[in-house]
Amino acid sequence: MTSAGEARPVPRVAVLGAGTMGEGITHSLLRNGFTVDVWDRTPEKAAALAADGATAHEHAPDAVREVDVVITMVADADAVNQVAFEFGMLEAMRPQAVWAQMGTIGVTAAEDLAARVSKERPGVYFVDAPVSGTRQPAENGQLLILASGPDQAKPVLEPVFAAVGREAKWLGEAGAGSRLKLVMNSWLVFLVEGAAEIMALADSLGVDHQQVLDFLSSGSLANPAAAAKFAKMDSGDDSPDFALQWALKDIRLTMDASGRRLPVLEAIRERWTALVDQGLGDRDVSAARHGLG
């Protein structure tokens, strides 16, 4: 136990999932002096992080046995469940360890995980903590963390979240973080589709793209996220910061959770599904510029 006024020891962290976001999170933790264990179902990704100073593991349970905090950052709810239960991650975690589930998996999946962890491993603290941000914020430790879960996890996660995020919002019981994340991601989807369509409109009307960027960058209509995506589209850059296929996944999670008709989001889902079906899913959401004639 840490007595009052005594510095809490730096937690050891495992990151499971070494894709774009997991890689950035790992780099931020290493840069801040954390001991980091990593695992990915593609061993080469974990090996690349080992070259940067992490310890790579062949099996997920081995990565979590000695750590205080486990971060999962994998593609979707099915992948999380596979890693946690089929591969044995949860069973291998130490008592009093914290599991921070930081990928976007939807409200129902987050609440189901919280209930299952409480039943099967009551000594482990589950925190629903999806993040807002893409490749560069993850690399720079500038993610917005939407955390929800037990109060006992907060002091353990505080230094971890400080290393990977610009801010951590604690929102209540597990599931609250995923609710807010779906709302925020839907707003981003609207901005991206809007940027794509005003670019197409500007081209139809012969309006210079720089004039559009000027009003997106300053004045009453300014929006940094829309301006950044418009600029990325203008340059023809579809390199993935936030892949179109994962944005489409989040749209579907939102539609499943909303319980009501959202006609604009439904229309974007249909259009982006067509783009993914055309093979553009691994490109950035800036690929929404395609298919508009």
Side-chain angles (χ1 to χ4, degrees):
M1 296 292 288
T2 302
S3 61
E6 183 180 344
R8 179 178 290 273
V10 176
R12 182 171 175 173
V13 184
V15 178
L16 275 59
T20 297
M21 298 300 289
E23 178 185 31
I25 287 171
T26 300
H27 286 158
S28 290
L29 289 167
L30 291 170
R31 189 171 60 249
N32 282 276
F34 285 81
T35 299
V36 185
D37 297 80
V38 294
W39 171 88
D40 192 274
R41 67 179 67 231
T42 303
E44 292 79 9
K45 292 182 178 180
L49 289 173
D52 295 330
T55 300
H57 296 269
E58 183 179 355
H59 303 290
D62 296 335
V64 307
R65 291 188 200 281
E66 302 299 325
V67 307
D68 307 292
V69 174
V70 175
I71 292 173
T72 48
M73 182 58 82
V74 295
D76 53 28
D78 288 342
V80 174
N81 279 285
Q82 185 176 46
V83 172
F85 305 113
E86 292 182 33
F87 293 174
M89 178 207 88
L90 181 63
E91 183 179 0
M93 288 179 65
R94 297 165 56 181
Q96 310 304 308
V98 176
W99 174 11
Q101 203 309 105
M102 301 185 78
T104 303
I105 61 172
V107 177
T108 300
E111 292 178 340
D112 288 349
L113 282 173
R116 187 166 178 182
V117 171
S118 178
K119 179 180 179 180
E120 297 185 11
R121 290 296 313 274
V124 169
Y125 301 118
F126 175 81
V127 176
D128 169 39
V131 299
S132 178
T134 54
R135 178 192 299 271
Q136 205 59 46
E139 287 284 349
N140 295 339
Q142 291 295 304
L143 296 168
L144 171 61
I145 302 163
L146 308 174
S148 53
D151 289 340
Q152 297 94 320
K154 290 183 182 181
V156 181
L157 285 174
E158 188 175 55
V160 177
F161 284 173
V164 304
R166 59 178 171 83
E167 183 181 4
K169 292 182 178 292
W170 284 89
L171 303 166
E173 294 185 0
S178 286
R179 287 185 175 86
L180 181 55
K181 177 61 190 298
L182 293 182
V183 172
M184 292 177 66
N185 267 22
S186 296
W187 178 236
L188 175 62
V189 165
F190 292 146
L191 293 175
V192 170
E193 180 64 19
E197 293 193 25
I198 64 168
M199 176 174 284
L201 177 62
D203 290 341
S204 296
L205 299 179
V207 174
D208 184 83
H209 287 184
Q210 187 57 50
Q211 294 175 332
V212 179
L213 271 173
D214 287 345
F215 80 70
L216 287 175
S217 301
S218 62
S220 61
L221 295 178
N223 186 284
K229 286 305 175 186
F230 188 94
K232 195 170 172 70
M233 293 174 188
D234 181 47
S235 68
D237 179 9
D238 292 337
S239 60
D241 295 321
F242 179 31
L244 189 68
Q245 61 187 337
W246 304 134
L248 180 59
K249 175 207 71 175
D250 292 352
I251 293 174
R252 290 168 175 162
L253 290 173
T254 302
M255 302 302 296
D256 289 343
S258 70
R260 65 177 64 199
R261 186 165 179 265
L262 301 171
V264 175
L265 201 59
E266 288 176 5
I268 296 173
R269 177 184 62 183
E270 292 179 8
R271 202 177 82 76
W272 288 16
T273 296
L275 293 176
V276 170
D277 289 345
Q278 292 168 26
L280 303 180
D282 60 349
R283 302 190 189 185
D284 189 70
V285 287
S286 60
R289 66 190 175 88
H290 297 283
L292 291 171

